[in-house]
Amino acid sequence: MVWCGALAGVAAAQQLPPFVLPPPVAAAIHDKVAREPFLLLRELLDVDQEHRQAARDRWQLLEPKQQVALVRAGLRQDGEVGVGAAVAAGAGLWLDRAECKRAVALGLARCNQPNTPFDLDAFFDLMDGADTARLLAHPGPLPRAWPQFLGPLHQRFGSEHAVALEQLARGDDLLLRQEARRFLSHLHVDRELYARLLLALPDQDEVPDGRDPFAERVAFMPRHVALRAASVVGFPPLLAALLERAAAGSPVLKEPDAAWLWRWARQARPGAADRALLLQLAPSATDLLAITAVEGLQRLAGADDEVDAALRAVAARAPDQGDAGAFALAALAARGHAAARRQLTAAAAAWPMALLLLWRLDPAAVHPLLERAFAAGGAATLEAVLTARTWAGWYGLALDGLDTQLITRAEAAELDGVRLAMLLDEPELRTLPLAMRAIEVLDAASLHEMPLGVLEVVDAAALTARLQSLLGTPQGTVDERKLLSALVALGGGDAAAASAVWRAVQQGGDAADRAGWQFTLAAGGHPEASAAARALLARESWLANDAHAGDLGLLLAANGVAPELAHSVVGMCSGASNPAVPEFATILLPALRAGDGAGAIAALCARGPAFVGELRYLGACRSAAVRAHLERCRDEREHGQYRWAIAELARSGDGAARAEIEAVITHRLYRWLDDLDCEVLTDGAALARVPLLLDQLDTNCCTFAVVGSALGQVFEVDAFQPEWALVGRVGHLRSVWGRAQGHQRWSRIAHRWLILP
């Protein structure tokens, strides 16, 4: 009999660090399934379904330690053994990034074909962006395992896949080309490549009668399009042809395409040859297409009754139909129509889009509205003005002088806290005088709206004193949760103030709020929180209930354990598993009685990986024993904790683990990205990690959701502004990041970097 360990020297193994199946493990596998271990891997590929199922049943008899060792050894082999190991790898919870790459390299040719041995959902979890490119280049013959397999694959897409998707969108696999077209519209694609595809797509791409698209090829029949000569003065030929198709109402053009066409038309310049096209486009029910037509017609010189009539038809649209009506009113006003100007002026009081377009046309006409915004009771008008500023950013409309007017008027007026809060929410409108005044006038009425983090980075001591003065406010008249959260985050204050905060914490919020505040105060050394924790040590019995689980967490926090880790421990021994509370108390209390929080966590880890599980924030515990536990979970894979261990080691500052996380981000290994929490993904909200994350935004919707959410928790930005905006979400994030450089300070209240006044 030839054991697997003797076969580890084949050429394929040179791609990975050596790993030989330990002889005792190989012997145990043979005894359990009566098979040579590598033969079992080959049997997982059997073309006979019954034989393959029998091999799967035998595989399930193995213990996790045996399975992971066999997979890791098998991946270092060529041929059927290596492919079988890739099949058995599942979603790769056992594997490091290099082993995931090897599994994909072995399995790509067999994954997406009839009678595949692979679970494609799990196999795709092993893949990164480069692997995806190879699969798109050779997606497999019909019928594949999944006829429409791009859905679960698209989370790895990036702009580097655009050409391959465009080719698939022209292929003779109907289901695949429909999927490729759908996902292509969400990528950063070469403009000409995408334009030519949109023009070639038929209005209806349907299955001919009697054909089965799951098993038969259906030829792509491109439309013939005659482009006008490049010498024609006006829109580029491709843009003009696409706008003609949009005006005709082609179902090929979707909502993202309307935004794309609008941006393109903004950069181009229409000519007389485009007049008829723009008139045809103006009645479009799609708001951005109608705006494209209005802006194009406005740029055409000279008086024209037909153009004016088209603009009047669009101007009749109500605000709830979109913004095109306001654009059309402004265009008519700019062409000298007094009635349109009066209508635009009247609409400006209630329609932010009308207000911003009126400002661009005639700032003096907006001054009465600004005066109303800063007079008593003008909060609604100020909100409309600020909304107009936001919309101006979306539409890429410069508002020269408006911010100066707002700041000048605000600093000269006696504003209440609510309106100061509205202004300070806008980084471009923040000034030190406004922030200091906001601290002075902060009261129960304005607390809910006030961006307290901004006031903190201006004068934390003054803000603390002001918040403490609100502690005695009658219940129900103040946002208690926000008040206490801010005070707990700020800490400080004299002993009397600290006692007042502690008393308020005992009464405020729900149980989860109170636990969180108590943990934070205890971890910060608050004297009464620490005393309350010490009193728990005298308890003789620890009952199996959630309250006792929370008490254990408070003890941990009071003894130097990070509040987040203390919360995680509470989660382990509360809720459905609360019978474990006495056992946890037995493990933790000896070290806690000695004032050793890290030792208490180490005592948990000493019970082994199966007991501790994937405890979040374990990497925040600075203990050699805890570090050794994480390294064991990283190196001994049988518990499926490799990814978690790498994340926690990265949280602890381990250089190799941080490099692994950065490689995961760079190569877009989506399953890892989606599993990482924000702190690990952003390296503890480090600004130095932001550029790497920004590089991943121009990829796909899912990666953007993960990375954009994380970036929104690091610095002050709304990652999810309208995608149809002139610069789009990615451009917006990069623009805000660029403007914020050198002007940021960390806020304990907001838990992110804020832009200074």
mmCIF file of all heavy atoms in Angstrom, residues 3 55 60 79 82 107 154 185 209 233 256 262 276 285-286 304 386 393 397 402 420 449 490 550 570 629 655 681 736:
data_model
loop_
_atom_site.group_PDB
_atom_site.id
_atom_site.type_symbol
_atom_site.label_atom_id
_atom_site.label_comp_id
_atom_site.label_asym_id
_atom_site.label_seq_id
_atom_site.Cartn_x
_atom_site.Cartn_y
_atom_site.Cartn_z
ATOM 1 N N TRP A 3 1.131 5.095 0.847
ATOM 2 C CA TRP A 3 0.442 6.161 1.582
ATOM 3 C C TRP A 3 0.663 7.501 0.916
ATOM 4 O O TRP A 3 1.657 7.741 0.238
ATOM 5 C CB TRP A 3 0.933 6.212 3.032
ATOM 6 C CG TRP A 3 0.504 5.021 3.820
ATOM 7 C CD1 TRP A 3 1.287 4.006 4.272
ATOM 8 C CD2 TRP A 3 -0.825 4.702 4.193
ATOM 9 N NE1 TRP A 3 0.534 3.071 4.925
ATOM 10 C CE2 TRP A 3 -0.764 3.471 4.890
ATOM 11 C CE3 TRP A 3 -2.076 5.311 4.019
ATOM 12 C CZ2 TRP A 3 -1.896 2.853 5.414
ATOM 13 C CZ3 TRP A 3 -3.181 4.704 4.552
ATOM 14 C CH2 TRP A 3 -3.092 3.485 5.235
ATOM 15 N N ALA A 55 -19.123 7.827 -2.539
ATOM 16 C CA ALA A 55 -17.861 8.450 -2.116
ATOM 17 C C ALA A 55 -18.126 9.627 -1.183
ATOM 18 O O ALA A 55 -17.412 9.825 -0.184
ATOM 19 C CB ALA A 55 -17.076 8.911 -3.338
ATOM 20 N N GLN A 60 -18.111 11.901 4.409
ATOM 21 C CA GLN A 60 -18.753 12.437 5.598
ATOM 22 C C GLN A 60 -18.439 11.629 6.852
ATOM 23 O O GLN A 60 -18.646 12.117 7.972
ATOM 24 C CB GLN A 60 -20.274 12.495 5.389
ATOM 25 C CG GLN A 60 -20.719 13.482 4.327
ATOM 26 C CD GLN A 60 -20.245 14.902 4.625
ATOM 27 O OE1 GLN A 60 -20.218 15.328 5.766
ATOM 28 N NE2 GLN A 60 -19.885 15.631 3.572
ATOM 29 N N GLY A 79 -3.624 16.112 -11.396
ATOM 30 C CA GLY A 79 -4.572 15.136 -11.886
ATOM 31 C C GLY A 79 -5.814 15.006 -11.034
ATOM 32 O O GLY A 79 -6.260 15.940 -10.371
ATOM 33 N N GLY A 82 -5.843 15.993 -7.263
ATOM 34 C CA GLY A 82 -5.933 17.426 -7.004
ATOM 35 C C GLY A 82 -7.328 17.973 -7.233
ATOM 36 O O GLY A 82 -7.840 18.765 -6.434
ATOM 37 N N GLY A 107 -9.712 23.180 -10.418
ATOM 38 C CA GLY A 107 -11.116 22.889 -10.676
ATOM 39 C C GLY A 107 -11.777 23.654 -11.791
ATOM 40 O O GLY A 107 -12.895 23.309 -12.194
ATOM 41 N N HIS A 154 -20.862 37.249 -10.015
ATOM 42 C CA HIS A 154 -20.624 38.673 -10.302
ATOM 43 C C HIS A 154 -19.979 39.423 -9.151
ATOM 44 O O HIS A 154 -19.444 40.515 -9.346
ATOM 45 C CB HIS A 154 -21.945 39.357 -10.676
ATOM 46 C CG HIS A 154 -22.753 39.808 -9.508
ATOM 47 N ND1 HIS A 154 -23.589 38.976 -8.802
ATOM 48 C CD2 HIS A 154 -22.842 41.023 -8.910
ATOM 49 C CE1 HIS A 154 -24.164 39.649 -7.824
ATOM 50 N NE2 HIS A 154 -23.735 40.885 -7.858
ATOM 51 N N SER A 185 -23.615 46.506 -17.305
ATOM 52 C CA SER A 185 -24.051 47.894 -17.094
ATOM 53 C C SER A 185 -23.613 48.441 -15.744
ATOM 54 O O SER A 185 -23.656 49.645 -15.526
ATOM 55 C CB SER A 185 -25.579 47.981 -17.214
ATOM 56 O OG SER A 185 -26.207 47.273 -16.158
ATOM 57 N N ASP A 209 -39.374 29.852 -31.470
ATOM 58 C CA ASP A 209 -40.332 28.782 -31.162
ATOM 59 C C ASP A 209 -39.673 27.409 -31.301
ATOM 60 O O ASP A 209 -38.944 27.134 -32.264
ATOM 61 C CB ASP A 209 -41.535 28.862 -32.110
ATOM 62 C CG ASP A 209 -42.397 30.082 -31.818
ATOM 63 O OD1 ASP A 209 -42.269 30.619 -30.701
ATOM 64 O OD2 ASP A 209 -43.176 30.489 -32.700
ATOM 65 N N VAL A 233 -21.040 68.432 -37.146
ATOM 66 C CA VAL A 233 -20.858 69.228 -35.936
ATOM 67 C C VAL A 233 -21.992 68.900 -34.960
ATOM 68 O O VAL A 233 -23.172 69.066 -35.290
ATOM 69 C CB VAL A 233 -20.851 70.734 -36.268
ATOM 70 C CG1 VAL A 233 -20.747 71.560 -34.982
ATOM 71 C CG2 VAL A 233 -19.696 71.063 -37.201
ATOM 72 N N PRO A 256 -29.619 52.667 -15.419
ATOM 73 C CA PRO A 256 -28.209 53.089 -15.376
ATOM 74 C C PRO A 256 -27.727 53.676 -16.692
ATOM 75 O O PRO A 256 -26.854 54.544 -16.703
ATOM 76 C CB PRO A 256 -27.466 51.782 -15.041
ATOM 77 C CG PRO A 256 -28.484 50.910 -14.394
ATOM 78 C CD PRO A 256 -29.778 51.247 -15.074
ATOM 79 N N TRP A 262 -26.663 60.739 -20.000
ATOM 80 C CA TRP A 262 -26.718 62.129 -19.536
ATOM 81 C C TRP A 262 -25.307 62.673 -19.256
ATOM 82 O O TRP A 262 -24.970 63.785 -19.654
ATOM 83 C CB TRP A 262 -27.604 62.201 -18.296
ATOM 84 C CG TRP A 262 -27.529 63.483 -17.541
ATOM 85 C CD1 TRP A 262 -27.880 64.722 -17.983
ATOM 86 C CD2 TRP A 262 -27.058 63.660 -16.202
ATOM 87 N NE1 TRP A 262 -27.670 65.660 -16.991
ATOM 88 C CE2 TRP A 262 -27.166 65.022 -15.893
ATOM 89 C CE3 TRP A 262 -26.574 62.781 -15.234
ATOM 90 C CZ2 TRP A 262 -26.791 65.536 -14.650
ATOM 91 C CZ3 TRP A 262 -26.216 63.290 -14.007
ATOM 92 C CH2 TRP A 262 -26.320 64.650 -13.719
ATOM 93 N N ALA A 276 -33.373 68.110 -33.995
ATOM 94 C CA ALA A 276 -34.523 67.218 -34.143
ATOM 95 C C ALA A 276 -34.447 66.060 -33.149
ATOM 96 O O ALA A 276 -35.464 65.642 -32.577
ATOM 97 C CB ALA A 276 -34.594 66.693 -35.581
ATOM 98 N N ALA A 285 -40.284 59.881 -20.631
ATOM 99 C CA ALA A 285 -40.759 59.740 -19.255
ATOM 100 C C ALA A 285 -39.609 59.507 -18.284
ATOM 101 O O ALA A 285 -39.779 59.662 -17.074
ATOM 102 C CB ALA A 285 -41.756 58.587 -19.162
ATOM 103 N N THR A 286 -38.438 59.134 -18.790
ATOM 104 C CA THR A 286 -37.259 58.962 -17.936
ATOM 105 C C THR A 286 -36.675 60.329 -17.644
ATOM 106 O O THR A 286 -36.253 61.045 -18.558
ATOM 107 C CB THR A 286 -36.218 58.068 -18.630
ATOM 108 O OG1 THR A 286 -36.809 56.797 -18.919
ATOM 109 C CG2 THR A 286 -35.002 57.861 -17.744
ATOM 110 N N ASP A 304 -36.407 80.005 -31.155
ATOM 111 C CA ASP A 304 -36.986 78.899 -31.918
ATOM 112 C C ASP A 304 -38.306 78.535 -31.266
ATOM 113 O O ASP A 304 -38.332 78.022 -30.142
ATOM 114 C CB ASP A 304 -36.018 77.716 -31.907
ATOM 115 C CG ASP A 304 -36.463 76.585 -32.828
ATOM 116 O OD1 ASP A 304 -37.678 76.299 -32.866
ATOM 117 O OD2 ASP A 304 -35.599 75.977 -33.478
ATOM 118 N N LEU A 386 -30.519 74.024 1.904
ATOM 119 C CA LEU A 386 -29.469 73.022 2.055
ATOM 120 C C LEU A 386 -29.725 71.810 1.162
ATOM 121 O O LEU A 386 -28.787 71.202 0.633
ATOM 122 C CB LEU A 386 -29.367 72.597 3.518
ATOM 123 C CG LEU A 386 -28.942 73.703 4.493
ATOM 124 C CD1 LEU A 386 -28.929 73.178 5.926
ATOM 125 C CD2 LEU A 386 -27.580 74.260 4.122
ATOM 126 N N GLY A 393 -24.811 69.288 -5.971
ATOM 127 C CA GLY A 393 -23.677 68.371 -6.043
ATOM 128 C C GLY A 393 -23.988 67.155 -6.886
ATOM 129 O O GLY A 393 -23.151 66.698 -7.673
ATOM 130 N N LEU A 397 -23.745 70.987 -10.582
ATOM 131 C CA LEU A 397 -24.021 72.389 -10.875
ATOM 132 C C LEU A 397 -23.300 73.264 -9.860
ATOM 133 O O LEU A 397 -23.562 73.183 -8.658
ATOM 134 C CB LEU A 397 -25.531 72.663 -10.814
ATOM 135 C CG LEU A 397 -26.392 71.820 -11.759
ATOM 136 C CD1 LEU A 397 -27.870 72.066 -11.483
ATOM 137 C CD2 LEU A 397 -26.057 72.124 -13.209
ATOM 138 N N LEU A 402 -23.006 80.850 -3.038
ATOM 139 C CA LEU A 402 -24.083 80.482 -2.127
ATOM 140 C C LEU A 402 -23.541 80.119 -0.746
ATOM 141 O O LEU A 402 -24.080 80.558 0.276
ATOM 142 C CB LEU A 402 -24.887 79.322 -2.696
ATOM 143 C CG LEU A 402 -26.056 78.845 -1.819
ATOM 144 C CD1 LEU A 402 -27.050 79.977 -1.563
ATOM 145 C CD2 LEU A 402 -26.766 77.655 -2.434
ATOM 146 N N LEU A 420 -28.518 75.627 13.576
ATOM 147 C CA LEU A 420 -27.068 75.456 13.639
ATOM 148 C C LEU A 420 -26.693 74.004 13.343
ATOM 149 O O LEU A 420 -25.701 73.740 12.660
ATOM 150 C CB LEU A 420 -26.564 75.865 15.021
ATOM 151 C CG LEU A 420 -26.482 77.377 15.277
ATOM 152 C CD1 LEU A 420 -26.248 77.649 16.752
ATOM 153 C CD2 LEU A 420 -25.377 78.003 14.437
ATOM 154 N N GLU A 449 -30.844 66.513 16.639
ATOM 155 C CA GLU A 449 -30.341 66.848 15.307
ATOM 156 C C GLU A 449 -28.857 67.211 15.304
ATOM 157 O O GLU A 449 -28.201 67.139 14.267
ATOM 158 C CB GLU A 449 -31.128 68.029 14.722
ATOM 159 C CG GLU A 449 -32.570 67.735 14.382
ATOM 160 C CD GLU A 449 -33.480 67.805 15.601
ATOM 161 O OE1 GLU A 449 -33.002 68.254 16.670
ATOM 162 O OE2 GLU A 449 -34.646 67.392 15.503
ATOM 163 N N LEU A 490 -17.287 60.525 25.833
ATOM 164 C CA LEU A 490 -16.386 61.620 26.182
ATOM 165 C C LEU A 490 -15.624 61.346 27.468
ATOM 166 O O LEU A 490 -14.459 61.720 27.595
ATOM 167 C CB LEU A 490 -17.177 62.922 26.320
ATOM 168 C CG LEU A 490 -17.698 63.530 25.017
ATOM 169 C CD1 LEU A 490 -18.709 64.622 25.293
ATOM 170 C CD2 LEU A 490 -16.546 64.054 24.178
ATOM 171 N N GLY A 550 -24.385 39.124 31.486
ATOM 172 C CA GLY A 550 -23.977 40.527 31.395
ATOM 173 C C GLY A 550 -23.057 40.930 32.526
ATOM 174 O O GLY A 550 -22.121 41.717 32.334
ATOM 175 N N VAL A 570 -20.274 37.877 26.414
ATOM 176 C CA VAL A 570 -21.666 37.841 26.867
ATOM 177 C C VAL A 570 -22.530 37.109 25.844
ATOM 178 O O VAL A 570 -23.400 36.298 26.187
ATOM 179 C CB VAL A 570 -22.195 39.269 27.110
ATOM 180 C CG1 VAL A 570 -23.702 39.247 27.372
ATOM 181 C CG2 VAL A 570 -21.470 39.903 28.278
ATOM 182 N N HIS A 629 -3.374 30.931 20.999
ATOM 183 C CA HIS A 629 -4.630 30.279 20.605
ATOM 184 C C HIS A 629 -4.993 30.656 19.166
ATOM 185 O O HIS A 629 -5.388 29.788 18.371
ATOM 186 C CB HIS A 629 -5.741 30.702 21.565
ATOM 187 C CG HIS A 629 -7.105 30.250 21.143
ATOM 188 N ND1 HIS A 629 -7.563 28.968 21.355
ATOM 189 C CD2 HIS A 629 -8.114 30.910 20.499
ATOM 190 C CE1 HIS A 629 -8.788 28.852 20.863
ATOM 191 N NE2 HIS A 629 -9.146 30.016 20.349
ATOM 192 N N GLY A 655 1.703 41.423 11.598
ATOM 193 C CA GLY A 655 2.071 41.924 10.273
ATOM 194 C C GLY A 655 1.706 40.982 9.146
ATOM 195 O O GLY A 655 1.192 41.406 8.102
ATOM 196 N N LEU A 681 -11.394 45.194 8.133
ATOM 197 C CA LEU A 681 -11.302 45.646 6.744
ATOM 198 C C LEU A 681 -10.584 46.983 6.646
ATOM 199 O O LEU A 681 -9.815 47.222 5.713
ATOM 200 C CB LEU A 681 -12.720 45.766 6.164
ATOM 201 C CG LEU A 681 -12.859 45.861 4.651
ATOM 202 C CD1 LEU A 681 -12.267 44.649 3.957
ATOM 203 C CD2 LEU A 681 -14.323 46.022 4.272
ATOM 204 N N VAL A 736 -14.674 63.338 -1.949
ATOM 205 C CA VAL A 736 -14.723 63.706 -0.527
ATOM 206 C C VAL A 736 -13.411 63.358 0.150
ATOM 207 O O VAL A 736 -12.869 64.142 0.942
ATOM 208 C CB VAL A 736 -15.898 63.011 0.176
ATOM 209 C CG1 VAL A 736 -15.840 63.226 1.681
ATOM 210 C CG2 VAL A 736 -17.223 63.520 -0.370
#
